[in-house]
Amino acid sequence: MAASPSTARAINDRLALGLLQREGPLTAGQLKTMTGLSRPTVADLVERLQDSGLVRVVGEAGDRRRGPNARLYGIAADRAHLAALDVRTGSVSVVVADLLGETLAEATAPIGGETATEAAVEQAAALLERTARQAGAVPLHSVGIGAPGLVDPVSGELRETTGLPAWHRRLVAALQERLPATVLVENETNLAALAEQRLGAARGHDTFVLLWLGHGVGAAVVLDGRLRKGASGGAGEIGFLPVPGTSRLPSAAGCEGGFHSLAGSAAVAQLAAGYGVSAAAGPQEPPAAALVRAAVARAQAGAGSGSGSGSERQDAGAFLDALADRLAIGAAAVGAVLDPGRIVLAGETGHAGGDTLAARVEDRLALMSPLRTEVRAGTLGGAAVLRGALLTAREAAQDELFTP
């Protein structure tokens, strides 16, 4: 059935906006070529998008001819402003950006474990508002929040979770109350997977699993291009996965005894100590990330490089081997059930291990399973959550603004 004129215009506008988003500024002639639309139709949609404030002239093409065909049209990046928050157990990070995702300002602040709930909420909300004002990005259109814990797939709300600060859940409601913005919350590991798929180690892959290795462990499952959250939002709670090598089973009240007991930061630090590997972690960095980074550097160091003795290099390599053994246990369980084809070791620790750790895990998986599974290191590190939250906010804003 033929589309109505208004529907056809909406489709054409969205097509042109999508091209301008992906390709950058384009001339009317380039839009005509890329869309296959007639010259009058392109002229009409450009005028319509300019009148709506979504598109403006941003320059001229390097063409000797003058006139409308030489003008470069681009999305008005300041048409809406976005923000993303990465909410951790002891800190919050904020980035403010324009409609195209270009960073305008960013900030991070610690929030101590002894801070009362309302005081912590006020600190986090004030950091966001202050950063937005400094960027000249008031009011905000959309805000994406990444947080640990389960997000209800029906209501979209962060569920109350034992062991996580109460201010996390309260913050979402507080921002919804005090901001004239769309506020979206998603599990941090899921956002990291979105970022790695769009910008990092999973680009071009519609099916993969991301293992988040930071203070804790988690997983995100992407199958056939869709993020799979499970019936209660708990798909990927791999910290609770019962695995060999632990002294007991996990329980509904805690993941001690599950995969977390092998791959969480505290467990990795204890493992490193047994091999004499030591390193000081940076602010808000999981100790495991610093230890793995140091071990990779020592294991790769050549003789006479000044990076340590031969025995230190051997100990560092042995530590990485032992860690790979542990990670392969969880990865093999995931692979046997989902056959993802690619596993991304993400988070601060996965990023710190780089190709050195990923190759060790892949070698072990090849011995444990007949299913061919690539293992790659995440390229975005701890920044993946913020990047994913910003992508979520940008998509929400564009879905609204780009739809007549």
Coordinates of all heavy atoms in Angstrom, one line a residue, residues 21-97:
Q21 N 23.9 12.2 10.1 CA 24.5 11.8 11.4 C 25.7 10.9 11.1 O 26.8 11.0 11.8 CB 23.5 11.0 12.2 CG 24.0 10.5 13.5 CD 23.0 9.5 14.2 OE1 22.0 9.2 13.7 NE2 23.4 9.0 15.3
R22 N 25.6 10.0 10.2 CA 26.7 9.0 9.9 C 27.8 9.6 9.1 O 29.0 9.4 9.4 CB 26.2 7.8 9.2 CG 25.2 6.9 10.1 CD 25.0 5.6 9.4 NE 24.4 5.8 8.0 CZ 23.1 5.9 7.8 NH1 22.3 5.9 8.8 NH2 22.6 6.0 6.6
E23 N 27.5 10.4 8.1 CA 28.5 10.9 7.2 C 29.0 12.3 7.5 O 30.0 12.7 6.9 CB 27.9 10.9 5.7 CG 27.3 9.6 5.3 CD 28.3 8.5 5.1 OE1 29.5 8.9 4.9 OE2 28.0 7.3 5.3
G24 N 28.3 13.0 8.3 CA 28.7 14.4 8.5 C 28.0 15.3 7.5 O 27.1 14.9 6.8
P25 N 28.4 16.6 7.5 CA 27.8 17.6 6.6 C 27.8 17.1 5.1 O 28.8 16.6 4.6 CB 28.6 18.8 6.8 CG 29.1 18.7 8.2 CD 29.4 17.2 8.3
L26 N 26.7 17.3 4.4 CA 26.5 16.9 3.0 C 25.9 18.1 2.2 O 25.1 18.9 2.8 CB 25.7 15.7 2.9 CG 26.2 14.4 3.6 CD1 25.1 13.3 3.6 CD2 27.5 13.9 2.9
T27 N 26.1 18.1 0.9 CA 25.4 19.1 0.1 C 24.1 18.5 -0.3 O 23.9 17.2 -0.2 CB 26.3 19.4 -1.2 OG1 26.4 18.1 -2.0 CG2 27.7 19.9 -0.8
A28 N 23.2 19.3 -0.9 CA 22.0 18.8 -1.4 C 22.2 17.8 -2.5 O 21.5 16.8 -2.6 CB 21.1 20.0 -1.9
G29 N 23.2 18.0 -3.3 CA 23.5 17.1 -4.4 C 24.0 15.7 -3.9 O 23.6 14.7 -4.4
Q30 N 24.7 15.7 -2.8 CA 25.2 14.5 -2.2 C 24.0 13.7 -1.5 O 23.9 12.5 -1.6 CB 26.3 14.7 -1.1 CG 27.6 15.1 -1.7 CD 28.6 15.6 -0.7 OE1 28.2 16.3 0.3 NE2 29.9 15.3 -0.9
L31 N 23.1 14.5 -0.9 CA 21.9 13.9 -0.3 C 21.0 13.3 -1.4 O 20.5 12.2 -1.3 CB 21.1 14.9 0.4 CG 21.6 15.3 1.8 CD1 20.8 16.5 2.4 CD2 21.5 14.1 2.8
K32 N 20.9 13.9 -2.6 CA 20.2 13.4 -3.7 C 20.8 12.1 -4.2 O 20.1 11.1 -4.4 CB 20.2 14.4 -4.9 CG 19.5 13.9 -6.1 CD 19.6 14.9 -7.3 CE 19.1 14.4 -8.6 NZ 19.8 13.2 -9.0
T33 N 22.1 12.0 -4.3 CA 22.8 10.8 -4.7 C 22.6 9.7 -3.7 O 22.3 8.5 -4.1 CB 24.3 11.1 -5.0 OG1 24.4 12.1 -6.0 CG2 25.0 9.8 -5.4
M34 N 22.8 10.0 -2.5 CA 22.7 8.9 -1.4 C 21.3 8.4 -1.2 O 21.2 7.2 -0.8 CB 23.4 9.5 -0.2 CG 24.9 9.7 -0.3 SD 25.6 10.3 1.3 CE 27.3 10.4 0.9
T35 N 20.3 9.3 -1.3 CA 19.0 8.9 -1.0 C 18.2 8.3 -2.2 O 17.3 7.6 -2.1 CB 18.2 10.0 -0.4 OG1 18.1 11.1 -1.4 CG2 18.8 10.6 0.9
G36 N 18.7 8.7 -3.4 CA 17.9 8.4 -4.6 C 16.7 9.2 -4.8 O 15.9 8.9 -5.7
L37 N 16.5 10.2 -4.0 CA 15.3 11.1 -4.2 C 15.6 12.1 -5.3 O 16.7 12.4 -5.7 CB 15.0 11.8 -2.8 CG 14.7 10.9 -1.7 CD1 14.6 11.7 -0.4 CD2 13.4 10.1 -1.9
S38 N 14.5 12.7 -5.8 CA 14.6 13.7 -6.8 C 15.1 15.0 -6.2 O 15.1 15.2 -5.0 CB 13.2 14.0 -7.4 OG 12.3 14.6 -6.5
R39 N 15.6 15.9 -7.1 CA 16.2 17.1 -6.6 C 15.1 18.0 -5.9 O 15.4 18.5 -4.9 CB 16.8 17.9 -7.8 CG 17.5 19.2 -7.4 CD 18.1 19.8 -8.6 NE 19.0 18.9 -9.4 CZ 20.3 18.7 -9.0 NH1 20.8 19.3 -8.0 NH2 21.0 17.9 -9.7
P40 N 13.9 18.1 -6.5 CA 12.8 18.9 -5.7 C 12.5 18.3 -4.4 O 12.3 19.1 -3.4 CB 11.6 18.9 -6.7 CG 12.2 18.6 -8.0 CD 13.4 17.7 -7.8
T41 N 12.5 17.0 -4.3 CA 12.1 16.4 -3.0 C 13.2 16.6 -2.0 O 12.9 16.9 -0.8 CB 12.0 14.8 -3.2 OG1 10.9 14.6 -4.1 CG2 11.7 14.2 -1.8
V42 N 14.5 16.6 -2.4 CA 15.6 16.9 -1.5 C 15.6 18.4 -1.1 O 15.8 18.7 0.1 CB 17.0 16.6 -2.1 CG1 18.1 17.1 -1.3 CG2 17.1 15.1 -2.3
A43 N 15.3 19.3 -2.0 CA 15.2 20.7 -1.7 C 14.1 20.9 -0.7 O 14.3 21.7 0.3 CB 15.0 21.5 -2.9
D44 N 13.0 20.2 -0.8 CA 11.9 20.4 0.1 C 12.2 19.9 1.5 O 11.9 20.5 2.5 CB 10.7 19.6 -0.5 CG 9.4 19.7 0.4 OD1 9.0 20.9 0.7 OD2 8.8 18.7 0.8
L45 N 12.9 18.7 1.6 CA 13.2 18.2 2.9 C 14.2 19.0 3.6 O 14.2 19.2 4.8 CB 13.5 16.7 2.8 CG 14.9 16.2 2.3 CD1 16.0 16.3 3.4 CD2 14.8 14.8 1.8
V46 N 15.2 19.5 2.8 CA 16.2 20.4 3.5 C 15.6 21.6 4.0 O 15.9 22.0 5.2 CB 17.3 20.7 2.4 CG1 18.2 21.9 3.0 CG2 18.2 19.5 2.1
E47 N 14.7 22.2 3.3 CA 14.0 23.4 3.8 C 13.2 23.1 5.0 O 13.2 23.8 6.0 CB 13.1 24.0 2.7 CG 12.4 25.3 3.2 CD 11.5 25.9 2.1 OE1 11.5 25.3 0.9 OE2 10.9 26.9 2.3
R48 N 12.5 21.9 5.0 CA 11.7 21.5 6.1 C 12.5 21.3 7.4 O 12.2 21.7 8.5 CB 10.9 20.2 5.7 CG 9.9 19.8 6.7 CD 8.9 18.8 6.1 NE 9.6 17.7 5.5 CZ 9.6 17.4 4.2 NH1 9.1 18.2 3.3 NH2 10.2 16.3 3.7
L49 N 13.7 20.6 7.2 CA 14.5 20.3 8.3 C 15.2 21.6 8.9 O 15.5 21.7 10.1 CB 15.6 19.3 7.9 CG 15.1 17.9 7.6 CD1 16.2 17.0 7.1 CD2 14.4 17.3 8.8
Q50 N 15.5 22.5 8.0 CA 16.0 23.8 8.5 C 15.0 24.6 9.3 O 15.3 25.1 10.4 CB 16.5 24.7 7.3 CG 17.8 24.3 6.7 CD 18.2 25.2 5.6 OE1 17.7 25.2 4.5 NE2 19.2 26.0 5.9
D51 N 13.7 24.6 8.8 CA 12.7 25.3 9.5 C 12.4 24.6 10.9 O 12.0 25.3 11.9 CB 11.4 25.2 8.7 CG 11.4 26.1 7.5 OD1 12.3 27.0 7.4 OD2 10.6 25.9 6.6
S52 N 12.7 23.3 11.0 CA 12.4 22.6 12.3 C 13.6 22.9 13.3 O 13.5 22.5 14.5 CB 12.3 21.1 12.1 OG 13.5 20.5 11.7
G53 N 14.7 23.4 12.8 CA 15.8 23.7 13.7 C 16.8 22.5 13.8 O 17.7 22.5 14.6
L54 N 16.5 21.4 13.0 CA 17.4 20.2 13.1 C 18.6 20.3 12.2 O 19.6 19.6 12.5 CB 16.5 19.0 12.8 CG 15.5 18.5 13.8 CD1 14.7 17.4 13.3 CD2 16.3 18.0 15.1
V55 N 18.5 21.1 11.2 CA 19.6 21.1 10.2 C 19.9 22.6 9.9 O 19.0 23.4 9.9 CB 19.2 20.4 8.9 CG1 20.2 20.7 7.8 CG2 19.2 18.9 9.1
R56 N 21.2 22.9 9.7 CA 21.5 24.3 9.3 C 22.7 24.2 8.3 O 23.4 23.2 8.2 CB 21.9 25.1 10.5 CG 23.2 24.6 11.3 CD 23.6 25.6 12.3 NE 22.6 25.9 13.3 CZ 22.7 25.5 14.6 NH1 23.8 24.9 15.0 NH2 21.8 25.8 15.4
V57 N 22.9 25.3 7.6 CA 24.1 25.4 6.7 C 25.3 25.6 7.6 O 25.4 26.5 8.5 CB 24.0 26.6 5.8 CG1 25.2 26.8 4.9 CG2 22.7 26.5 4.9
V58 N 26.3 24.7 7.4 CA 27.6 24.7 8.2 C 28.8 25.1 7.4 O 29.9 25.1 7.9 CB 27.7 23.4 8.9 CG1 26.6 23.1 9.9 CG2 27.9 22.2 7.9
G59 N 28.6 25.4 6.1 CA 29.8 25.7 5.3 C 29.5 25.5 3.8 O 28.3 25.4 3.4
E60 N 30.5 25.5 3.0 CA 30.3 25.3 1.6 C 31.3 24.2 1.1 O 32.4 24.1 1.6 CB 30.6 26.6 0.8 CG 29.5 27.6 1.0 CD 29.6 28.8 0.0 OE1 30.6 28.8 -0.7 OE2 28.7 29.6 -0.1
A61 N 30.8 23.5 0.1 CA 31.7 22.4 -0.5 C 32.7 23.1 -1.3 O 32.6 24.2 -1.8 CB 30.8 21.5 -1.3
G62 N 33.8 22.3 -1.6 CA 34.9 22.9 -2.4 C 34.5 22.8 -3.9 O 35.2 22.1 -4.7
D63 N 33.5 23.5 -4.3 CA 33.0 23.5 -5.6 C 33.0 24.9 -6.1 O 32.7 25.9 -5.4 CB 31.5 23.0 -5.6 CG 31.1 22.6 -7.0 OD1 31.4 23.4 -8.0 OD2 30.4 21.5 -7.2
R64 N 33.4 25.1 -7.4 CA 33.5 26.4 -7.9 C 32.2 27.1 -8.1 O 32.0 28.3 -8.1 CB 34.3 26.4 -9.3 CG 35.7 26.0 -9.2 CD 36.4 25.9 -10.5 NE 37.8 25.6 -10.4 CZ 38.6 25.5 -11.5 NH1 38.1 25.7 -12.7 NH2 39.8 25.1 -11.3
R65 N 31.2 26.2 -8.3 CA 29.8 26.8 -8.4 C 29.3 27.3 -7.1 O 29.6 26.9 -6.1 CB 28.9 25.7 -8.9 CG 29.2 25.1 -10.3 CD 28.2 24.0 -10.6 NE 28.3 22.9 -9.6 CZ 27.4 22.0 -9.5 NH1 26.3 22.0 -10.2 NH2 27.6 21.0 -8.6
R66 N 28.5 28.4 -7.2 CA 27.9 28.9 -6.1 C 26.4 28.5 -6.1 O 25.9 28.0 -7.1 CB 28.0 30.5 -6.1 CG 29.4 30.9 -6.0 CD 30.0 30.5 -4.7 NE 31.4 31.0 -4.6 CZ 32.2 30.7 -3.5 NH1 31.7 30.0 -2.5 NH2 33.4 31.1 -3.5
G67 N 25.7 28.8 -5.0 CA 24.3 28.5 -5.0 C 24.0 27.4 -4.0 O 24.9 26.8 -3.3
P68 N 22.7 27.0 -4.0 CA 22.3 25.9 -3.0 C 23.0 24.6 -3.1 O 23.3 24.0 -2.0 CB 20.8 25.7 -3.4 CG 20.4 27.0 -4.1 CD 21.6 27.5 -4.8
N69 N 23.5 24.2 -4.3 CA 24.1 22.9 -4.4 C 25.5 22.9 -3.7 O 26.0 21.9 -3.4 CB 24.3 22.6 -5.9 CG 23.0 22.2 -6.5 OD1 22.1 21.7 -5.8 ND2 22.9 22.3 -7.8
A70 N 26.1 24.1 -3.5 CA 27.4 24.1 -2.9 C 27.3 24.2 -1.3 O 28.4 24.1 -0.7 CB 28.2 25.3 -3.4
R71 N 26.2 24.5 -0.8 CA 26.1 24.6 0.6 C 26.2 23.2 1.3 O 25.6 22.3 0.9 CB 24.7 25.3 1.0 CG 24.6 26.7 0.6 CD 23.2 27.2 0.8 NE 23.0 28.5 0.2 CZ 21.8 29.1 0.0 NH1 20.7 28.4 0.2 NH2 21.8 30.3 -0.5
L72 N 26.9 23.2 2.4 CA 26.9 22.0 3.2 C 25.9 22.1 4.4 O 25.9 23.1 5.1 CB 28.3 21.9 3.8 CG 29.4 21.3 2.9 CD1 30.8 21.4 3.5 CD2 29.1 19.8 2.6
Y73 N 25.1 21.1 4.5 CA 24.1 21.0 5.5 C 24.5 20.0 6.6 O 25.0 18.9 6.3 CB 22.7 20.6 4.9 CG 22.2 21.6 3.9 CD1 22.4 21.4 2.5 CD2 21.5 22.7 4.3 CE1 22.0 22.3 1.6 CE2 21.1 23.6 3.3 CZ 21.3 23.4 2.0 OH 20.9 24.3 1.1
G74 N 24.4 20.4 7.8 CA 24.7 19.5 8.9 C 23.7 19.5 10.0 O 22.9 20.5 10.1
I75 N 23.6 18.5 10.8 CA 22.7 18.5 12.0 C 23.1 19.6 13.0 O 24.3 19.8 13.3 CB 22.7 17.1 12.7 CG1 22.1 16.1 11.7 CG2 22.0 17.1 14.0 CD1 22.1 14.6 12.3
A76 N 22.1 20.3 13.5 CA 22.3 21.3 14.5 C 22.6 20.6 15.8 O 21.7 20.2 16.5 CB 21.1 22.2 14.6
A77 N 23.9 20.5 16.1 CA 24.3 19.7 17.3 C 23.8 20.3 18.6 O 23.6 19.6 19.6 CB 25.8 19.6 17.3
D78 N 23.6 21.6 18.6 CA 23.1 22.2 19.9 C 21.6 22.3 20.0 O 21.0 22.9 20.8 CB 23.6 23.7 20.0 CG 23.2 24.5 18.8 OD1 22.6 24.0 17.9 OD2 23.6 25.7 18.8
R79 N 20.9 21.5 19.1 CA 19.4 21.4 19.1 C 19.0 20.8 20.4 O 17.9 21.1 20.9 CB 18.9 20.6 17.9 CG 17.4 20.4 17.8 CD 16.7 21.7 17.6 NE 15.3 21.5 17.4 CZ 14.4 21.2 18.3 NH1 14.8 21.1 19.6 NH2 13.1 21.0 18.0
A80 N 19.8 19.9 21.0 CA 19.5 19.3 22.3 C 20.8 18.9 22.9 O 21.8 18.6 22.3 CB 18.6 18.0 22.0
H81 N 20.8 18.8 24.2 CA 21.9 18.5 25.0 C 21.6 17.2 25.8 O 20.5 17.0 26.3 CB 22.4 19.6 25.9 CG 22.9 20.8 25.2 ND1 22.1 21.9 25.0 CD2 24.0 21.0 24.5 CE1 22.8 22.8 24.3 NE2 24.0 22.2 24.0
L82 N 22.7 16.4 26.0 CA 22.6 15.1 26.6 C 23.5 15.0 27.8 O 24.5 15.7 27.9 CB 22.9 14.0 25.6 CG 22.4 14.2 24.1 CD1 23.1 13.2 23.2 CD2 20.9 14.1 24.1
A83 N 23.3 14.0 28.6 CA 24.2 13.7 29.7 C 24.2 12.2 30.0 O 23.2 11.5 29.7 CB 23.8 14.4 31.0
A84 N 25.3 11.7 30.5 CA 25.4 10.3 30.9 C 26.1 10.3 32.2 O 27.0 11.1 32.6 CB 26.3 9.6 29.9
L85 N 25.7 9.3 33.0 CA 26.3 9.1 34.4 C 26.7 7.6 34.5 O 26.0 6.7 34.1 CB 25.2 9.4 35.5 CG 24.9 10.9 35.8 CD1 23.9 11.4 34.8 CD2 24.4 11.0 37.2
D86 N 27.9 7.4 35.1 CA 28.3 6.1 35.5 C 28.3 6.1 37.0 O 29.2 6.7 37.6 CB 29.7 5.9 34.9 CG 30.3 4.5 35.2 OD1 29.6 3.7 35.9 OD2 31.5 4.2 34.9
V87 N 27.4 5.4 37.5 CA 27.2 5.3 39.0 C 27.9 4.1 39.6 O 27.4 3.0 39.3 CB 25.7 5.3 39.3 CG1 25.5 5.3 40.8 CG2 25.0 6.6 38.8
R88 N 28.9 4.3 40.3 CA 29.7 3.2 40.9 C 29.4 3.2 42.4 O 28.7 4.1 43.0 CB 31.2 3.4 40.7 CG 31.6 3.4 39.2 CD 31.4 2.1 38.5 NE 31.7 2.2 37.1 CZ 32.9 1.8 36.6 NH1 33.8 1.3 37.4 NH2 33.1 1.8 35.3
T89 N 29.9 2.1 43.1 CA 29.6 2.0 44.5 C 30.1 3.2 45.3 O 29.5 3.6 46.2 CB 30.3 0.7 45.0 OG1 29.7 -0.4 44.3 CG2 30.0 0.5 46.5
G90 N 31.3 3.7 44.9 CA 31.9 4.8 45.7 C 32.2 6.1 44.9 O 33.0 6.9 45.3
S91 N 31.5 6.2 43.7 CA 31.8 7.4 42.9 C 30.7 7.6 41.9 O 29.9 6.7 41.6 CB 33.1 7.3 42.2 OG 33.1 6.3 41.2
V92 N 30.7 8.7 41.2 CA 29.8 9.0 40.1 C 30.6 9.8 39.1 O 31.3 10.7 39.4 CB 28.5 9.7 40.5 CG1 28.8 11.1 41.1 CG2 27.6 9.9 39.3
S93 N 30.5 9.4 37.8 CA 31.1 10.2 36.7 C 30.1 10.7 35.8 O 29.0 10.0 35.6 CB 32.1 9.3 35.9 OG 33.2 8.9 36.8
V94 N 30.3 11.9 35.3 CA 29.3 12.6 34.4 C 30.0 13.0 33.1 O 31.1 13.5 33.2 CB 28.7 13.8 35.1 CG1 27.8 14.6 34.2 CG2 27.9 13.3 36.4
V95 N 29.3 12.9 32.0 CA 29.7 13.6 30.8 C 28.5 14.2 30.2 O 27.4 13.7 30.2 CB 30.3 12.5 29.8 CG1 29.3 11.5 29.4 CG2 30.8 13.2 28.5
V96 N 28.7 15.4 29.7 CA 27.6 16.2 29.0 C 28.0 16.4 27.5 O 29.2 16.7 27.3 CB 27.4 17.6 29.7 CG1 26.4 18.4 28.9 CG2 27.0 17.4 31.1
A97 N 27.1 16.2 26.6 CA 27.4 16.2 25.2 C 26.3 16.9 24.4 O 25.2 17.1 24.9 CB 27.6 14.8 24.7

